[in-house]
Amino acid sequence: MANALYYGDNLQVLREHIRDESIDLIYLDPPFNSNATYNVLFRAPGGKGSEAQIEAFEDTWHWGEAAAAAFDAVIRGSHTDAATMLRAMRSFLGENDMMAYLAMMAVRLIELHRVLKPTGSLYLHCDPTASHYLKVLLDAVFGVECFVNEVSWKRTSAKSDFVQGATHFPRVRDVLLRYKREVRQRCTFNQPFTAYDETYLLSKYPHVDTAGRRYGLWDMTGPGGAAKGNPSYEVMGVTRFWRYSREKMSELIAAGRVIQPKPGAVPRLKRFLDEQKGVPVGDDWDDIDPINSQAQERLGYPTQKPLALLERIIAASSNPGDVVLDPFCGCGTAVHAAHKLGRHWLGIDITHLAISLIERRLKDAFPDIAFEVHGTPKDLEGARDLAQRDKHQFQWWAVSLVDAVPQAGRKKGADRGIDGIRFVQVGPKAGEVERVIVSVKGGENVGVKDIRDLRGTVEREGAIAGLFLTLAEPTRDMKREAAAAGTVEIPFAHRPVGRIQIYTIAELLAGMRPDLPGLGRHEGFKRAPREKRAGQQGALEL
């Protein structure tokens, strides 16, 4: 199986598509149970924020049928430690929102443990809202002995919460809980390093040789003397307990790496700066900046994490050619970093909005990339099924077929008759664009009233045109009403185009596209910068 994105519930995808011990590294950044609603802010031409926004997901969990089913699945399952721990948590917490979150996470963590290779690692990205509960849950699923690190990432600078009357220290960090799969198996780990600061360099590497190489002189004596097994012998007239054997010391002297600062002084080791890797990265990460409003990589998706953060995790805990899985892939930072670093990757998300964004992001960053997308409709039957299961996901998917961005959220009446927005170029200069309103209908009962409503929306919004996308075949009266709306002259079109255009989902699936000029991306998620290099991956069997 090639690099792939899966649209759907990650629990179902894991069970049906990912085989045992097939993944080298798992990174998951699930909703934090922070009771926040996250909106995607789209960008208008010229880079200004648009009024168009959509609720990407609600980071709130409630005890109900789904949570109870997840709890029962763990209790009835074969993972007895996880079942025991989850039962104890329910006894302590009761049937509340936190317990719902933990039950939904537990059943998924068991599946993630199943698919991880013996040499693999899992990183769970969370915050202090539930990190303590999640750590206990991970201890039960993976085993206490498989805990490796709790990494603290400084995700923001200190806030002025006290101005609003807060009585807590500003909350500025996220938590990364790292576990390995097997107790006795060494997991993949490549120690990352950061550069030395200037003060350290001047202190430890103050000398420069005739070739321009900076170096320092370091102690070679053996701490603890004979008690620690260090040999004693004479070097350049000085007898000490040394770190090295006589043979090794002779090699260093022959290589010119042992310096006696002055006659009678204790010889020291000559260490070149350019041979050092840097400062080993610890478990407190304050050197990776969060994504601010001006960051080039900012796409407009809530909770987007810096590419540098995922590059560090992937480089440290996997090797080129390994398989990286992100089961809550959001806007795709993990799969982007994995591809950039030459890894295979799999991403799963439950919203078509996220999958659509990742498709665009990857194609922008890696123009020659090839990957598969599973779970999104490929034919009319699949489109009908999605419309019946979730009308909002269907609308978001249909809007993407005309390269527009979704406008409507899940709240009733929030769309004002607008399911998507598309901008078309109407002048030679950047920003000389006009809006096209997109309306989507997934039911069988469509009629001339729908076209009249779209005409009214286009006029009310001052848009240049409207697109009506429908699962059902349009009636003759609908086509007449659309034709009655007339045409519009658009520069660069070299001909008039219909002000109201009707397209069936079947036509769009067959490759038909709206009769509009310059249907390039003028609004939507910000375009991801093109990467200069990327590891191209071949087929992978899972």
Side-chain angles (χ1 to χ4, degrees), residues 26-53:
I26 298 171
Y27 168 84
L28 63 156
D29 183 13
F32 289 176
N33 197 31
S34 60
N35 292 307
T37 296
Y38 293 100
N39 289 339
V40 174
L41 302 177
F42 296 115
R43 298 179 68 84
K48 295 181 179 179
S50 170
E51 293 181 359
Q53 61 177 289

Side-chain angles (χ1 to χ4, degrees), residues 320-436:
D322 283 353
V323 188
V324 178
L325 167 66
D326 184 348
F328 294 87
C329 59
C331 67
T333 303
V335 298
H336 182 148
H339 195 82
K340 182 178 178 181
L341 296 176
R343 276 68 169 169
H344 296 282
W345 51 265
L346 300 172
I348 310 170
D349 203 274
I350 200 167
T351 71
H352 180 77
L353 185 69
I355 298 299
S356 177
L357 167 58
I358 298 170
E359 288 188 73
R360 293 184 179 194
R361 175 180 189 169
L362 293 174
K363 291 174 182 178
D364 285 342
F366 312 100
D368 298 327
I369 193 172
F371 58 91
E372 298 177 357
V373 181
H374 303 279
T376 56
K378 300 296 190 298
D379 52 30
L380 202 55
E381 183 180 350
R384 289 195 180 103
D385 178 66
L386 179 59
Q388 292 174 355
R389 287 187 290 110
D390 192 322
K391 72 173 186 178
H392 296 288
Q393 294 290 347
F394 171 76
Q395 289 173 349
W396 296 347
W397 169 76
V399 162
S400 74
L401 295 179
V402 294
D403 205 22
V405 295
Q407 172 80 1
R410 292 184 176 272
K411 295 180 180 179
K412 187 175 181 180
D415 58 5
R416 299 181 301 163
I418 306 172
D419 295 316
I421 297 177
R422 182 68 265 170
F423 277 75
V424 294
Q425 194 82 23
V426 297
K429 298 180 180 178
E432 291 185 342
V433 296
E434 292 285 353
R435 289 183 301 161
V436 175

Side-chain angles (χ1 to χ4, degrees), residues 267-500:
R268 297 172 69 83
L269 177 67
K270 184 178 183 180
R271 182 181 293 174
F272 288 102
L273 174 62
D274 57 22
E275 295 177 345
Q276 311 311 311
K277 294 182 178 180
V279 182
V281 173
D283 61 4
D284 188 14
W285 298 356
D286 62 357
D287 60 323
I288 298 177
D289 294 330
I291 297 177
N292 59 41
S293 59
Q294 304 303 315
Q296 185 181 15
E297 66 179 284
R298 181 181 174 86
L299 301 177
Y301 192 87
T303 73
Q304 181 182 351
K305 301 303 185 293
L307 194 59
L309 180 69
L310 273 301
E311 288 178 354
R312 174 172 290 177
I313 292 170
I314 292 170
S317 293
S318 69
N319 296 313
D322 283 353
V323 188
V324 178
L325 167 66
D326 184 348
F328 294 87
C329 59
C331 67
T333 303
V335 298
H336 182 148
H339 195 82
K340 182 178 178 181
L341 296 176
R343 276 68 169 169
H344 296 282
W345 51 265
L346 300 172
I348 310 170
D349 203 274
I350 200 167
T351 71
H352 180 77
L353 185 69
I355 298 299
S356 177
L357 167 58
I358 298 170
E359 288 188 73
R360 293 184 179 194
R361 175 180 189 169
L362 293 174
K363 291 174 182 178
D364 285 342
F366 312 100
D368 298 327
I369 193 172
F371 58 91
E372 298 177 357
V373 181
H374 303 279
T376 56
K378 300 296 190 298
D379 52 30
L380 202 55
E381 183 180 350
R384 289 195 180 103
D385 178 66
L386 179 59
Q388 292 174 355
R389 287 187 290 110
D390 192 322
K391 72 173 186 178
H392 296 288
Q393 294 290 347
F394 171 76
Q395 289 173 349
W396 296 347
W397 169 76
V399 162
S400 74
L401 295 179
V402 294
D403 205 22
V405 295
Q407 172 80 1
R410 292 184 176 272
K411 295 180 180 179
K412 187 175 181 180
D415 58 5
R416 299 181 301 163
I418 306 172
D419 295 316
I421 297 177
R422 182 68 265 170
F423 277 75
V424 294
Q425 194 82 23
V426 297
K429 298 180 180 178
E432 291 185 342
V433 296
E434 292 285 353
R435 289 183 301 161
V436 175
I437 304 299
V438 182
S439 177
V440 179
K441 295 298 179 183
E444 295 298 323
N445 297 321
V446 294
V448 68
K449 180 180 180 299
D450 297 311
I451 304 303
R452 290 173 182 159
D453 288 345
L454 178 56
R455 287 185 65 178
T457 302
V458 169
E459 293 172 3
R460 184 192 72 220
E461 297 293 323
I464 196 170
L467 300 176
F468 186 81
L469 313 183
T470 172
L471 259 179
E473 286 293 325
T475 66
R476 183 177 300 177
D477 287 341
M478 291 170 65
K479 294 178 180 179
R480 288 174 177 169
E481 184 69 24
T487 59
V488 58
E489 294 283 347
I490 302 178
F492 306 138
H494 306 300
R495 59 183 170 77
V497 300
R499 187 178 297 274
I500 300 295

Side-chain angles (χ1 to χ4, degrees), residues 50-124:
S50 170
E51 293 181 359
Q53 61 177 289
I54 188 168
E55 184 179 301
F57 60 88
E58 185 178 347
D59 187 6
T60 305
W61 304 70
H62 303 292
W63 186 267
E65 291 184 6
F71 178 86
D72 290 342
V74 176
I75 299 303
R76 296 194 309 269
S78 60
H79 205 303
T80 56
D81 287 345
T84 300
M85 183 58 69
L86 200 63
R87 189 182 290 109
M89 286 178 161
R90 184 174 179 178
S91 176
F92 174 67
L93 293 170
E95 296 176 356
N96 59 14
D97 293 352
M98 181 59 76
M99 190 60 223
Y101 177 67
L102 295 172
M104 299 290 275
M105 287 301 301
V107 70
R108 287 162 174 79
L109 289 172
I110 291 171
E111 291 298 322
L112 292 173
H113 180 268
R114 174 185 64 80
V115 304
L116 195 61
K117 288 183 180 179
T119 55
S121 295
L122 174 142
Y123 288 76
L124 195 161

